[in-house]
């Protein structure tokens, strides 16, 4: 298996030029003073469709040949990957099918359909979504794009940290949230190339630390779907490509509790006037808890997305969730 390299990230950046937003890098003097470091927040909550996943989806779909474009793309997801694939397919004028559970939130179904994708629903309790998706892909001649374990997806995700370090110059530490590892592995490729001295950390929810276990064991560990408010990081295992890069290029993996995520979410709302979804708070929550590790240093924090139901957001911040 050949792992993608930083050259694949730069090629992805060229494909994304003019299609993805170059998201802002924000500062907070309150954060700097309170935690004694210099923070640089890369705000992918302001990316198209509200999360970094647009980068990987658009990069992967841009590489389709004429026949693949004609058949279109298929994906299974009830989260940001669904919307990313749907939007990228619409922009590239190809058909898209998204396989989603029958009990997915109505807002997510509507958002995915709103981007022009066809939604195929399945029963989470009786049907195997991967088997269903593969059958549909064969029947309809569609190409399956997975949410993280794909060279073009992770190379696309790596363009966010490429932009970050190009803008800030070298960083001492970089914190990135970790689900299946597409964002972390792509980010590590960029950090290794552009800031060789920068330490790169993945951050998972405490309840689902399969990545940390895998990193320590040296092989991919599988877990049951974890119970956490970080719904974008409820993955059960890393991928072959993502783990190959993470074990080589990442320095450590931290975990944070749901309570720490809510604290970070509150800080973003109160101090930076930003809506960040729980999963998007993982990196900052870990940085806040890092203490002496980051004291006086230049710290990159990747904010991964801002898609959260406002009723749920209010309940989490109000302490009634
Ligand atoms: C998908 C997602 C993640 C996790 O990304 P991986 O590439 O699976 O590690 C984190 N945050 C948000 C907002 C996401 O949508």
């Amino acid at each position: 298996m050949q792992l993608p390299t930083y050259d694949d990230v730069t090629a992805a950046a060229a494909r994304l030029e003019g299609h993805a937003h170059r998201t802002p890098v924000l500062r907070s003097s309150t954060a700097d003073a309170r935690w004694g470091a210099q923070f640089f927040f890369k705000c992918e909550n302001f990316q198209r469709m509200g999360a970094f996943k647009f980068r990987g989806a658009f990069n992967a779909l841009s590489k389709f040949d004429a026949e693949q474009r004609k058949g279109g793309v298929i994906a299974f997801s009830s989260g940001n990957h669904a919307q990313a694939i749907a939007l990228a397919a619409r922009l590239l004028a190809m058909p898209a099918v998204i396989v989603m559970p029958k009990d997915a939130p109505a807002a997510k179904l509507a958002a995915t359909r709103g981007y022009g994708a066809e939604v195929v629903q399945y029963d989470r309790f009786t049907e195997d979504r991967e088997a269903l998706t593969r059958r549909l892909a064969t029947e309809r001649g569609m190409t399956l794009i997975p949410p993280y374990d794909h060279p073009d997806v992770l190379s696309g995700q790596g363009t966010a940290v490429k932009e970050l370090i190009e803008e800030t110059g070298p960083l001492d530490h970089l914190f990135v949230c970790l689900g299946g590892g597409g964002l972390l592995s792509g980010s590590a490729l960029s950090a290794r190339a552009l800031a060789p001295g920068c330490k790169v950390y993945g951050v998972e929810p405490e309840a689902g630390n399969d990545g940390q276990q895998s990193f320590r064991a040296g092989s991919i560990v599988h877990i049951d779907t974890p119970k956490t408010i970080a719904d974008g990081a409820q993955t059960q295992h890393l991928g072959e490509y993502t783990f190959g890069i993470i074990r080589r290029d990442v320095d450590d993996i931290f975990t944070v509790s749901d309570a720490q995520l809510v604290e970070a979410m509150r800080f973003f709302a109160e101090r930076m006037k930003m809506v960040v979804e729980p999963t998007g708070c993982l990196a900052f929550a870990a940085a806040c808890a890092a203490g002496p590790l980051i004291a006086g240093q230049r710290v990159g924090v990747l904010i991964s997305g801002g898609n959260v139901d406002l009723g749920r957001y209010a309940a989490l911040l109000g302490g009634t969730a």
Side-chain angles (χ1 to χ4, degrees), residues 154-176:
L154 75 86
S155 305
Q157 319 304 32
T159 59
V161 164
K162 174 177 182 291
E163 290 172 6
L164 169 66
I165 299 176
E166 282 171 355
E167 190 168 330
T168 62
L171 296 169
D172 300 308
H173 303 274
L174 175 67
F175 291 81
V176 179

Side-chain angles (χ1 to χ4, degrees), residues 51-53 80 147-148 177-184 232 235 277 279-280 304-305:
F52 72 91
K53 287 221 172 55
N80 287 329
Y148 53 86
C177 53
L178 172 58
L183 183 62
L184 178 59
T235 36
E277 63 183 280
T279 317
S304 58

Side-chain angles (χ1 to χ4, degrees), residues 164-246:
L164 169 66
I165 299 176
E166 282 171 355
E167 190 168 330
T168 62
L171 296 169
D172 300 308
H173 303 274
L174 175 67
F175 291 81
V176 179
C177 53
L178 172 58
L183 183 62
L184 178 59
S185 57
S187 299
L189 292 178
S190 290
R192 284 286 157 266
L194 298 175
C198 179
K199 296 259 195 278
V200 179
Y201 312 110
V203 185
E204 287 180 308
E206 214 166 68
N209 72 333
D210 61 287
Q212 188 180 58
Q213 291 183 45
S214 305
F215 188 74
R216 298 199 173 142
S219 61
I220 299 173
V221 172
H222 291 239
I223 59 167
D224 290 337
T225 302
K227 218 169 147 349
T228 166
I229 60 170
D231 52 0
Q234 282 179 310
T235 36
Q236 293 173 275
H237 57 85
L238 300 179
E240 301 284 341
Y241 289 100
T242 61
F243 181 63
I245 294 170
I246 288 169

Side-chain angles (χ1 to χ4, degrees), residues 101-127:
K102 280 203 177 104
D103 55 353
K108 295 216 162 157
L109 290 170
T112 307
R113 289 194 180 111
Y115 287 123
E118 179 192 343
V119 174
V120 172
Q121 292 183 276
Y122 71 99
D123 185 337
R124 273 197 302 138
F125 303 100
T126 59
E127 285 177 283

Side-chain angles (χ1 to χ4, degrees), residues 221-271:
V221 172
H222 291 239
I223 59 167
D224 290 337
T225 302
K227 218 169 147 349
T228 166
I229 60 170
D231 52 0
Q234 282 179 310
T235 36
Q236 293 173 275
H237 57 85
L238 300 179
E240 301 284 341
Y241 289 100
T242 61
F243 181 63
I245 294 170
I246 288 169
R247 67 181 303 189
R248 183 191 68 197
D249 290 342
V250 167
D251 292 282
D252 207 349
I253 297 184
F254 300 127
T255 63
V256 296
S257 67
D258 281 1
Q260 287 174 286
L261 292 178
V262 172
E263 276 317 299
M265 208 160 77
R266 186 186 310 281
F267 182 87
F268 287 138
E270 240 169 34
R271 294 294 171 160

